[in-house]
Amino acid sequence: MAGVTRPPSSGLWLPVQDDDPEELTLIVDTPNGTHIRCVPPALPLPAHIDHGPGAEEATHMAAAAWGMPDFVFQQAAHAAKGSGRRELGDRLLLAGHRGAVVQVKARTISPKTDAQEISWIQKVAAKAMSQAKGTVRQLRMLPADMVNGRNRTLHVDGHAFEWIAVFLLDHPRVPRDAVPTWQPLGIPAIALTRRDWDFLFNQLRSTTAVLDYLFRAAAEPAVPLGEEPVRYYEFAAADVAAPPGDIDTELVGAGGTLFSAPQLPQAPAGSDGTNVHRVVRIILEDVALTPLGESLTERDRFTVLSDLDRLPVSSRAEWGHLLLDMLRDVPEVPEDHCKWRFRRLLDADGTRQLIVGAATRFDRDVQAAFTAYVQLRHHEVTSRTGRTEESSALGVLLTPRRDRHRPWDTTTVRVHGDLELPPEDLQVYSEAWNRAFDEGAVVDHGRAEQPPAPASA
């Protein structure tokens, strides 16, 4: 058995089986004991596509299946080619205000000696990074229409995103200790194998979390190709040991509580065997598949999906349990009454707020009441932070269904910036919602401008 050994302080060993160079087994020391993490080879290539394009397609499929197809893009086929404009063949990963230009390079012939393979990898890595830099430059000069995994078009302005270049290598036998280098690009850059890419998406199940990881890893010294899972667990161990960050819990009003969880979970998403982490994925799919209203655009949908995907991976199972508990609880009220339950999450900088909740039923009164609640909480937080223009609040409301087609309906409300709410509206919202939180009563107001009060918060 050949292998790479990390110092004992990291708690990580990386055995590489001689008979299967693509199979990794990590032995991870954690505060809860020692765990074995098997990292399988990358997903198989599509049988009907040549090797090079097949590697690109498999990369796209992994990001779409374990992340969201709404965050994986390539240039629209109908894009016009004007003078001096080149076609953007790269795959893009976009979520929120971060973007990755992904250049996939495949070794389509039998590998030669290690020295020759390292030379070839160095050559294609330099080329890939140059192409990625050109793509970012092109998108900043001339925005382009990009198509996501659901065949929906988003107009991408390069200035709207913080970019990272990703060189992704598909190779049957990566030489040991191969660390490609390239000229500075002016943006972060990182090199991975396709197995590394699949590992990150399978581990995190969140495009936002993968992008955050790529930026974090790119700021550190490079590791040999194929050893990204080792670095991941070194980061995860550091996150467990790190003290909680500072946040002013009073920003959410009286009763705010500080919760701390590792940025990178040591256990793969959904490994508890309950599948409750899928509740968040189902809600994301609800948003992705809902027809847009007349005043909404695909840009609006992309923004809502990005905001929701920011929910920390390590918290998703717990939030899934909570939402299912809410849905079971809210129907238990007298007829013509409405019960509400909520949870709110505020980012450390106080500019992003996520509100999830459940209510007994869905109708126009409930929709108006929920909108009022989101607007009120956005106004209260921005009044305390003074950062109105850069702040937003996303509200997600689940209401149980009584047919057998699906368990709930999903309603979303997103607000940002200065809402310019009239003082009289704010007074009504505050008297209704804040009084209800103080009293903890289950009541039902008959008018839309009088929000039903929550039973718990």
Side-chain angles (χ1 to χ4, degrees):
M1 177 182 291
V4 177
T5 303
R6 285 286 182 257
S9 60
S10 72
L12 297 171
W13 291 263
L14 175 61
V16 182
Q17 304 293 341
D18 284 337
D19 55 350
D20 187 356
E22 291 195 8
E23 190 74 32
L24 292 180
T25 301
L26 298 179
I27 303 175
V28 185
D29 283 343
T30 75
N32 297 321
T34 299
H35 299 277
I36 296 177
R37 175 77 163 97
C38 294
V39 182
L43 292 175
L45 303 181
H48 61 287
I49 304 178
D50 291 340
H51 191 159
E56 294 181 358
E57 185 64 24
T59 298
H60 183 115
M61 290 169 56
W66 287 321
M68 285 285 288
D70 310 82
F71 298 138
V72 187
F73 291 83
Q74 59 187 126
Q75 189 173 28
H78 63 272
K81 299 186 181 74
S83 175
R85 177 174 179 172
R86 67 182 184 90
E87 184 177 358
L88 304 177
D90 316 66
R91 305 279 177 153
L92 302 184
L93 202 64
L94 304 175
H97 295 291
R98 279 186 159 174
V101 180
V102 184
Q103 276 281 339
V104 184
K105 302 297 182 183
R107 191 55 156 159
T108 58
I109 64 172
S110 297
K112 301 179 182 179
T113 66
D114 281 0
Q116 288 174 305
E117 290 306 297
I118 289 175
S119 177
W120 178 83
I121 291 171
Q122 179 62 43
K123 179 180 177 180
V124 296
K127 180 180 179 180
M129 292 307 188
S130 176
Q131 291 172 328
K133 178 180 179 181
T135 294
V136 173
R137 181 175 62 248
Q138 181 76 10
L139 286 171
R140 286 172 174 169
M141 292 172 52
L142 192 63
D145 286 341
M146 309 297 289
V147 176
N148 68 18
R150 297 189 200 271
N151 202 32
R152 294 167 177 164
T153 301
L154 186 73
H155 194 63
V156 177
D157 183 347
H159 293 288
F161 295 89
E162 178 187 8
W163 292 100
I164 186 171
V166 180
F167 162 53
L168 207 59
L169 177 65
D170 182 86
H171 196 290
R173 182 177 56 80
V174 179
R176 189 175 307 283
D177 298 326
V179 182
T181 60
W182 47 83
Q183 293 295 320
L185 306 180
I187 59 174
I190 189 171
L192 307 170
T193 65
R194 200 163 61 82
R195 182 190 60 201
D196 296 336
W197 176 266
D198 287 9
F199 162 79
L200 291 174
F201 272 99
N202 191 17
Q203 176 80 14
L204 295 170
R205 306 293 177 98
S206 162
T207 304
T208 299
V210 170
L211 279 169
D212 289 346
Y213 176 87
L214 294 176
F215 276 87
R216 179 179 178 180
E220 300 293 331
V223 299
L225 284 168
E227 294 189 25
E228 203 59 52
V230 179
R231 173 157 60 181
Y232 175 94
Y233 275 104
E234 289 174 341
F235 283 174
D239 285 357
V240 170
D246 293 329
I247 184 172
D248 182 2
T249 58
E250 293 303 314
L251 291 176
V252 296
T257 303
L258 175 63
F259 288 93
S260 178
Q263 182 179 353
L264 296 176
Q266 292 181 321
S271 61
D272 62 356
T274 64
N275 278 332
V276 290
H277 75 285
R278 296 179 61 189
V279 171
V280 175
R281 175 60 186 254
I282 293 171
I283 295 172
L284 283 162
E285 290 288 337
D286 286 346
V287 175
L289 297 176
T290 299
L292 294 175
E294 291 183 2
S295 62
L296 299 178
T297 67
E298 287 300 332
R299 169 66 64 179
D300 297 321
R301 191 200 304 270
F302 173 79
T303 300
V304 170
L305 289 171
S306 296
D307 283 359
L308 183 54
D309 197 49
R310 289 179 60 84
L311 182 65
V313 174
S314 53
S315 300
R316 293 191 179 190
E318 192 260 337
W319 280 54
H321 276 296
L322 176 66
L323 285 166
L324 293 177
D325 178 70
M326 289 178 175
L327 283 166
R328 287 189 292 266
D329 180 47
V330 291
E332 302 300 323
V333 293
E335 190 174 355
D336 296 329
H337 285 63
C338 186
K339 188 173 187 178
W340 300 73
R341 291 184 61 182
F342 288 108
R343 173 172 286 190
R344 290 196 286 156
L345 175 69
L346 187 67
D347 279 9
D349 64 2
T351 60
R352 288 187 179 92
Q353 192 174 181
L354 174 63
I355 301 167
V356 297
T360 304
R361 62 179 182 276
F362 179 79
D363 55 31
R364 287 188 175 183
D365 288 352
V366 168
Q367 184 178 28
F370 181 58
T371 300
Y373 181 83
V374 174
Q375 291 177 332
L376 175 64
R377 298 306 179 220
H378 175 73
H379 172 80
E380 289 173 339
V381 170
T382 57
S383 295
R384 295 181 181 113
T385 64
R387 305 176 67 178
T388 303
E389 293 304 319
E390 56 193 295
S391 297
S392 64
L394 172 63
V396 179
L397 181 70
L398 305 186
T399 47
R401 291 178 62 120
R402 289 166 175 79
D403 56 32
R404 296 180 178 271
H405 296 295
R406 49 181 292 115
W408 68 75
D409 285 321
T410 301
T411 303
T412 59
V413 174
R414 185 181 188 274
V415 296
H416 67 276
D418 188 354
L419 304 181
E420 299 182 355
L421 295 173
E424 55 271 21
D425 287 359
L426 281 172
Q427 182 177 353
V428 170
Y429 298 166
S430 180
E431 287 178 354
W433 281 117
N434 291 337
R435 174 184 55 79
F437 272 92
D438 291 339
E439 296 176 357
V442 182
V443 297
D444 183 54
H445 299 279
R447 297 179 298 162
E449 67 269 24
Q450 293 278 340
S456 59

